[in-house]
Amino acid sequence: MKAFLILIDSLNRHFLPCYNPDSRVAAEHLTRFSEENITFDSHYVASAPCMPARRDIFTGRINFLERNWGGMEPFDVTLINTLREHGIFTHITTDHPHYFEIGGENYCQMFHTWNFERGQEGDVWVSRVKGSDIPEPHYGKVNNQNQLNRLAYTKEEEYPTPRTFRSACDWIDSNRGADDYFMMVEAFDPHEPFDCTENYKELYPDTYDGPYFDWPSYRALDEETPEAMEHLRNEYSATLTMMDHWFGRFIQKLKDTGIYEESLIIVTSDHGHMLGEHGFAAKNFMPAYQELVHIPLLVHLPGSAYGGKRIGSLTQNIDLMPTFLEYFKIETPKTVLGKSLLPVIPHDTPFRDQAIYGWFGKAVNVTDGTHTYFRAPVSEDNQPCFTYGAMPTTFLQYWDVKPGDYEAGAFLPYTDYPVFKVRFRVEGHYPECPDGLDYVRENLLFDIRSDPHQNRPLKDEALEAEMIEKLCAALREYQAPPEQWERLGIESCSGRK
């Protein structure tokens, strides 16, 4: 048996023709994959951004309720280790640099073998003492290391994401005749900075002649003109199209070798990306709008069963681990709280009543597929709020632990492994967005059927009460730390245990 997880970073579903027929983006290979296979229409993240999302995928649990960005924990029961215990060979090829920075520990190292294609974002790859020239003037971010890295790839096939898909094709060729394996192919593109060869940019011409701009800052839009934002969307679209081309090359390799028809193949993303919607760019600091959390999910079953089918049931990325395990006929560990997607496919049977999602220490958000509700912290200092973990790292740094801020003990309900319980501080935690929690101080309620772009917040106390009950039900189901109810001001939520 063979299975593949193709994870594409920062994939905004509104840019994909298979989800938005009005999209002008060329993504023919993802479109064809959708037409030939199963498309899930109501699929959501649980935790965001990058590493929290991956911990969700690998553990079948929701990360953001108990900790921020960080490595795999030593007590985590993971998809990869479970597969290995049952004789399934595992391999990952990726150009995602955060795996190899502080805060990305223990992810790739779980696999039997792994391959890292260098050069994305700030990957410390090309080494120059002097540094690089920074384009001036510019909007958003420009990173010296990234400018150096770009010197190393001048042809399309030399770019990191094309190299990632090429390495995946090479792995298939090197393992002809092999069986019982799981392969993860992970493309960093179209994650920012949006960088690709000119032939793809020519597909999205514009007349923009302003400051250099292919990497938005993590803040509300300010100086960027409408023309600049249209240019940024074109840069994103071009990078997406380049990724799609090489995705298609890999899928064709699977077809040419006969592997496609006999494999489970799941294609999804970790989260979306804002490109001017609601006056924002990037991610992480704004409300959890659909552009960020409502993500693509495409599934190929062996023999192309149910080709062209669309699934409306509400699903999340925590459901991927039990899906792969059921496919390999492996019992799902008790720690896993996601559910296999395989039983829902034949008849699109109801799957879950609600899904919660968000960023650690910010609003906790819930959807039932018809409405979304963003529940904000009630106190100015966002307390009580604690980070739990044995890996004291977060994005590019170690935890900033002050005296009196921490305890150690067996605080998590699903493991006896001792962890730190550390008071979470807003100040200094969001270096890219000094506004911290400023944009998530308000509870927001939307009807996403009549208002899919979430432009018209509702004021409906009865409906809000219903969504609070669903939020509380999900918090109980996913074993949220007890202080979450107090932090969100819902201590009186009925049925709390």
Side-chain angles (χ1 to χ4, degrees), residues 185-197:
V185 182
E186 183 172 352
F188 195 64
D189 289 335
H191 190 290
E192 77 275 11
F194 310 135
D195 182 29
C196 62
T197 52

Side-chain angles (χ1 to χ4, degrees), residues 37-295:
N37 297 296
I38 305 156
T39 303
F40 284 72
D41 287 323
S42 193
H43 187 67
Y44 281 78
V45 306
S47 306
C50 299
M51 303 323 291
R54 284 158 179 77
R55 189 172 177 225
D56 283 4
I57 291 170
F58 284 136
T59 64
R61 299 185 60 87
I62 292 182
N63 174 93
F64 86 98
L65 295 172
E66 66 188 41
R67 74 152 299 160
N68 51 7
W69 177 297
M72 294 295 300
E73 297 285 356
F75 51 82
D76 281 337
V77 178
T78 68
L79 168 64
I80 306 308
N81 285 334
T82 303
L83 291 174
R84 294 185 63 159
E85 290 167 0
H86 288 82
I88 307 301
F89 189 88
T90 60
H91 176 71
I92 182 174
T93 183
T94 179
D95 60 334
H96 194 286
H98 297 316
Y99 284 128
F100 304 97
E101 299 165 341
I102 294 175
E105 300 87 359
N106 307 331
Y107 287 84
C108 289
Q109 292 77 7
M110 292 185 295
F111 291 79
H112 282 93
T113 53
W114 52 267
N115 176 67
F116 177 35
E117 297 294 339
R118 304 294 301 271
Q120 288 282 19
E121 203 183 48
D123 176 24
V124 288
W125 182 38
V126 174
S127 181
R128 299 288 187 276
V129 174
K130 184 178 178 181
S132 175
D133 294 331
I134 299 297
E136 293 293 355
H138 66 264
Y139 286 141
K141 299 169 61 177
V142 178
N143 179 285
N144 174 71
Q145 182 64 61
N146 181 255
Q147 292 295 311
L148 288 173
N149 291 344
R150 295 188 193 198
L151 300 175
Y153 38 89
T154 57
K155 297 184 295 185
E156 180 179 341
E157 60 268 24
E158 295 174 344
Y159 278 62
T161 283
R163 279 190 273 121
T164 296
F165 282 115
R166 287 172 58 207
S167 74
C169 292
D170 291 343
W171 192 91
I172 294 298
D173 285 335
S174 298
N175 288 277
R176 294 286 185 98
D179 200 9
D180 293 333
Y181 63 76
F182 169 87
M183 183 182 190
M184 185 169 173
V185 182
E186 183 172 352
F188 195 64
D189 289 335
H191 190 290
E192 77 275 11
F194 310 135
D195 182 29
C196 62
T197 52
E198 288 299 322
N199 57 308
Y200 294 105
K201 295 182 181 183
E202 290 170 358
L203 299 174
Y204 308 95
D206 58 42
T207 58
Y208 177 70
D209 62 356
Y212 183 88
F213 192 27
D214 64 11
W215 191 343
S217 296
Y218 282 45
R219 56 166 176 75
L221 299 181
D222 180 16
E223 59 183 352
E224 299 89 344
T225 65
E227 293 78 14
M229 290 309 301
E230 180 63 19
H231 172 72
L232 188 71
R233 286 188 285 271
N234 286 337
E235 296 286 286
Y236 176 87
S237 299
T239 306
L240 195 165
T241 299
M242 184 176 75
M243 178 282 301
D244 177 77
H245 171 77
W246 291 91
F247 165 81
R249 292 274 292 264
F250 177 64
I251 294 299
Q252 191 60 49
K253 171 64 71 172
L254 296 182
K255 290 180 176 181
D256 291 345
T257 54
I259 293 172
Y260 184 83
E261 285 300 313
E262 60 186 22
S263 301
L264 169 64
I265 307 169
I266 295 180
V267 181
T268 191
S269 185
D270 52 355
H271 51 71
H273 195 91
M274 302 291 282
L275 290 156
E277 303 91 344
H278 301 278
F280 294 113
K283 56 183 181 288
N284 298 354
F285 64 95
M286 68 285 285
Y289 290 117
Q290 294 286 87
E291 290 85 357
L292 293 172
V293 299
H294 193 193
I295 57 174

Side-chain angles (χ1 to χ4, degrees), residues 372-433:
T372 57
Y373 179 59
F374 306 162
R375 183 70 185 191
V378 294
S379 64
E380 186 68 23
D381 65 355
N382 196 29
Q383 295 302 313
C385 186
F386 298 98
T387 300
Y388 298 86
M391 296 293 296
T393 60
T394 186
F395 182 53
L396 303 181
Q397 61 186 332
Y398 294 94
W399 286 348
D400 180 18
V401 180
K402 302 184 185 304
D405 274 359
Y406 64 92
E407 302 175 66
F411 294 113
L412 299 176
Y414 58 94
T415 179
D416 292 329
Y417 199 97
V419 298
F420 296 107
K421 176 182 178 182
V422 180
R423 180 178 179 271
F424 175 71
R425 296 176 178 272
V426 174
E427 61 271 17
H429 184 73
Y430 305 109
E432 289 189 307
C433 181

